[in-house]
Amino acid sequence: MSIQLGCGVDTATLDRHSVVPLYYQIQQRLLEQIRSGALKAGEPVPSEQEIAARLGVSRMTARQAVKSLCHLGVAYSQRGKGTFVSGAKLEKNFRQVLSFSEEMEARGAQPRSRVLAFKRIHPNEQVAEALHLSPAEEIIFLRRVRIADSAPLCIEATHLPARLCPKLLENFEPSGSLYRVLGERYGLQVHMADEVAEASVATGAEAKLLRIRGRSPVFRFTRTAYLHNGQPIEFVKSTYRGDRCKVVNRLTRQLEIIS
Amino acid sequence: MSIQLGCGVDTATLDRHSVVPLYYQIQQRLLEQIRSGALKAGEPVPSEQEIAARLGVSRMTARQAVKSLCHLGVAYSQRGKGTFVSGAKLEKNFRQVLSFSEEMEARGAQPRSRVLAFKRIHPNEQVAEALHLSPAEEIIFLRRVRIADSAPLCIEATHLPARLCPKLLENFEPSGSLYRVLGERYGLQVHMADEVAEASVATGAEAKLLRIRGRSPVFRFTRTAYLHNGQPIEFVKSTYRGDRCKVVNRLTRQLEIIS
DNA sequence: AAGTGGTCTAGACCACTCG
DNA sequence: GAGTGGTCTAGACCACTTG
């Protein structure tokens, strides 16, 4: 057994009276070592037994910490061999559900908006189906040109079930962050979203709003966002300038397909 | 406590001598109930205690089964309340790393290829950087027009480190599935990939190969695939006809960002 | 107060890898 | 044979939710 392996894992003891779970304290400590370069890609993470012995926790707790690294994609386990740091870059955050405002902040750009419409209407067939509504139920409709760094980036048409966010027309300043208001004011937490992207060219009207030439390349997105329980909360159609936007994805190969 | 809750969970006993882990047998049984509609979206999954008691396993084993459902995105847990079936559709398989051949088979289409080039060359700067190679190290270069249902779908240029798959030129029939050969012949398992998609329009040469008009909308993909240990195994640049292709993604909102 | 999931323990046996 | 991760047990206390 290597004496060097655990370097740093036990420089400080765990706080057993903290509300922070032990496995999470251990996970954070390991992440810190990976970030700092003390543990490099391809190198083994301290074994579950070693962590358990050094930190005085049960092996199941140590295991939970190590497994959480695997779930984050930061490490991978090999039976009989050990658990190793993955070469995947930490900074490159795999794609998430981000609102426009969050995405701009993450990029360090200043999000702005020009509101084209903000009103209650009845949904068309596509919207009603996506939101699981009857055509009689009203929706909130919000259409905006989204601006980043003083130039138009996209046209975004958002549809929300009016029942889930009553008085949104009064409560929401439509140039701000919708997700923030939904979370703080209505307790609605977006959990995941299904998104379809298509490659297309701008119509004349779109080109005018986006300040590009007609028939320039654009992305067309159709996105449905869901709460934890699977209830649809938002349906968005948007058109992004092709010259100002890329779609970045991290794909995994889990052939444990649900079949 | 509801007597009805566990219906079906205990219709058959577990096979304790099987090589299949108990938690996995339980997970499969729960998945079957969700697929069959016995457990509907929003309904509670049997509690960990109930599963443990009914099936005669420890609570930790029952818990592992239930947590695995959450990791699959099929259910979600709420502290103090229970674990509930998510509304997310099972069939809609979230996006994975799939080779072209696999993707076509999943769609029920017949994949075909026209090989434009298949040779050893030295990488250019972009390829060398993506694959973490020195410019002196050779790569395998494969350029194909991919055909689905008798019409061109995309042009695909694949780059592989020659060192990792020696004699690929002899061992691989370039109209077949590359991933299959990499896995079966060389033991190289793709684990994840980073992908960038851009919206653009076809050049004249591309339009000819894809049998579309010049300046038609296309997707341009740049994909780097990695092994478990993070080592790059494949770099692909491809151009897809915009009229025959959509990018479907399932995004999650995990604000447990590694920061 | 009863039921739930979240965490934790201190053991155990297994299959696997490697020297 | 020593070390590893994978699985499993039979308990325990906690925070949380709901009637």
Side-chain angles (χ1 to χ4, degrees):
Chain A
M1 172 169 53
S2 166
I3 296 177
Q4 296 295 335
L5 261 185
C7 60
V9 177
D10 49 353
T11 51
T13 56
L14 299 173
D15 182 356
R16 297 192 88 91
H17 302 93
S18 165
V19 291
V20 179
L22 291 178
Y23 84 89
Y24 191 79
Q25 295 182 41
I26 299 171
Q27 183 226 65
Q28 289 299 311
R29 205 171 293 193
L30 292 169
L31 271 180
E32 181 47 39
Q33 288 182 67
I34 294 171
R35 266 196 296 265
S36 73
L39 278 174
K40 297 183 186 63
E43 291 181 355
V45 169
S47 75
E48 298 169 359
Q49 290 91 324
E50 187 173 345
I51 293 173
R54 279 179 184 272
L55 296 181
V57 298
S58 77
R59 193 191 136 202
M60 287 299 277
T61 301
R63 176 173 173 75
Q64 195 176 356
V66 172
K67 286 305 292 290
S68 73
L69 293 182
C70 297
H71 285 133
L72 285 173
V74 171
Y76 61 99
S77 292
Q78 287 185 8
R79 192 196 194 104
K81 295 180 74 172
T83 301
F84 304 87
V85 178
S86 166
K89 289 168 195 140
L90 285 185
E91 325 85 58
K92 195 157 197 171
N93 50 344
F94 23 106
R95 203 152 138 75
Q96 304 188 352
V97 185
L98 287 180
S99 72
F100 178 84
S101 308
E102 289 168 336
E103 206 147 356
M104 288 307 105
E105 282 164 20
R107 281 204 215 177
Q110 296 216 342
R112 280 176 42 222
S113 294
R114 184 151 71 87
V115 177
L116 304 177
F118 189 30
K119 56 187 176 183
R120 280 175 86 103
I121 60 171
H122 287 284
N124 67 24
E125 203 172 310
Q126 182 191 26
V127 174
E129 187 190 331
L131 293 177
H132 295 174
L133 297 178
S134 81
E137 257 197 273
E138 282 189 322
I139 60 166
I140 309 285
F141 175 72
L142 171 59
R143 188 155 182 262
R144 298 183 278 188
V145 175
R146 301 298 221 145
I147 298 162
D149 294 329
S150 314
L153 179 61
C154 72
I155 309 162
E156 194 179 76
T158 305
H159 311 72
L160 306 159
R163 175 169 43 84
L164 293 183
C165 42
K167 302 195 178 168
L168 185 70
L169 289 178
E170 294 101 87
N171 289 333
F172 176 52
E173 164 48 51
S175 59
S177 171
L178 177 60
Y179 276 28
R180 196 167 297 142
V181 173
L182 287 180
E184 291 173 2
R185 188 118 197 167
Y186 298 97
L188 299 171
Q189 307 287 351
V190 173
H191 172 241
M192 68 151 196
D194 283 325
E195 184 176 85
V196 179
E198 294 173 80
S200 182
V201 292
T203 66
E206 288 170 340
K208 209 163 190 174
L209 287 169
L210 293 175
R211 299 190 198 285
I212 52 178
R213 286 196 211 155
R215 301 198 53 74
S216 295
V218 295
F219 277 111
R220 294 185 192 285
F221 289 101
T222 308
R223 179 160 103 171
T224 309
Y226 301 88
L227 306 177
H228 272 276
N229 61 12
Q231 176 165 33
I233 176 63
E234 184 197 39
F235 177 73
V236 182
K237 289 181 75 101
S238 52
T239 305
Y240 276 74
R241 279 174 58 158
D243 62 341
R244 295 198 65 197
C245 156
K246 296 178 183 186
V247 178
V248 179
N249 277 307
R250 171 157 292 180
L251 315 175
T252 55
R253 185 176 176 85
Q254 34 190 356
L255 294 183
E256 23 156 329
I257 293 174
I258 316 164
S259 58
Chain B
M1 169 170 55
S2 164
I3 297 178
Q4 295 295 335
L5 262 187
C7 59
V9 177
D10 48 355
T11 50
T13 55
L14 300 173
D15 181 356
R16 296 191 89 90
H17 300 94
S18 166
V19 292
V20 180
L22 291 177
Y23 84 90
Y24 191 78
Q25 294 182 41
I26 299 170
Q27 183 225 66
Q28 289 298 310
R29 206 172 292 191
L30 291 169
L31 271 180
E32 182 47 39
Q33 287 181 68
I34 295 169
R35 265 196 296 266
S36 73
L39 279 173
K40 295 183 186 60
E43 291 181 355
V45 169
S47 75
E48 297 169 359
Q49 290 90 324
E50 187 174 346
I51 293 173
R54 279 180 184 271
L55 297 182
V57 298
S58 78
R59 194 192 137 203
M60 287 299 276
T61 300
R63 175 174 175 74
Q64 194 175 359
V66 172
K67 286 304 291 292
S68 73
L69 293 182
C70 298
H71 284 132
L72 286 172
V74 170
Y76 61 100
S77 292
Q78 287 185 6
R79 191 196 194 104
K81 295 180 73 174
T83 302
F84 304 87
V85 179
S86 165
K89 290 167 197 138
L90 284 186
E91 324 84 58
K92 196 159 196 171
N93 50 343
F94 23 107
R95 200 148 137 77
Q96 302 189 350
V97 184
L98 287 180
S99 73
F100 178 86
S101 307
E102 290 167 337
E103 206 147 356
M104 288 307 105
E105 282 164 19
R107 282 204 213 178
Q110 296 217 341
R112 279 176 42 221
S113 294
R114 185 150 72 88
V115 178
L116 305 176
F118 189 30
K119 56 187 174 184
R120 280 175 86 105
I121 60 171
H122 287 283
N124 66 25
E125 204 173 311
Q126 182 190 26
V127 173
E129 188 191 332
L131 293 177
H132 296 173
L133 297 179
S134 80
E137 257 196 274
E138 282 189 321
I139 59 166
I140 307 285
F141 175 71
L142 172 59
R143 189 154 182 260
R144 297 183 278 187
V145 176
R146 301 297 221 145
I147 299 161
D149 295 329
S150 313
L153 178 62
C154 72
I155 308 164
E156 195 180 75
T158 305
H159 312 71
L160 306 159
R163 178 170 40 85
L164 293 182
C165 41
K167 303 197 179 169
L168 185 70
L169 290 178
E170 295 104 85
N171 289 332
F172 175 52
E173 164 48 50
S175 58
S177 171
L178 177 60
Y179 277 29
R180 195 167 297 141
V181 172
L182 287 180
E184 292 174 0
R185 188 114 195 171
Y186 297 97
L188 299 170
Q189 307 286 350
V190 172
H191 172 242
M192 69 152 195
D194 283 325
E195 184 178 85
V196 178
E198 295 174 80
S200 183
V201 290
T203 66
E206 288 171 339
K208 209 162 190 178
L209 287 169
L210 293 174
R211 297 190 198 285
I212 51 179
R213 285 194 214 158
R215 301 196 55 74
S216 296
V218 295
F219 278 111
R220 292 185 193 285
F221 289 101
T222 307
R223 179 160 102 172
T224 310
Y226 301 89
L227 306 177
H228 272 275
N229 62 11
Q231 175 164 33
I233 176 63
E234 184 197 39
F235 177 73
V236 183
K237 290 181 77 101
S238 52
T239 305
Y240 276 74
R241 280 174 59 160
D243 61 343
R244 297 199 64 197
C245 159
K246 295 178 182 186
V247 178
V248 179
N249 276 308
R250 169 156 295 178
L251 314 175
T252 56
R253 186 175 176 82
Q254 35 191 353
L255 293 184
E256 23 156 331
I257 291 173
I258 315 167
S259 59

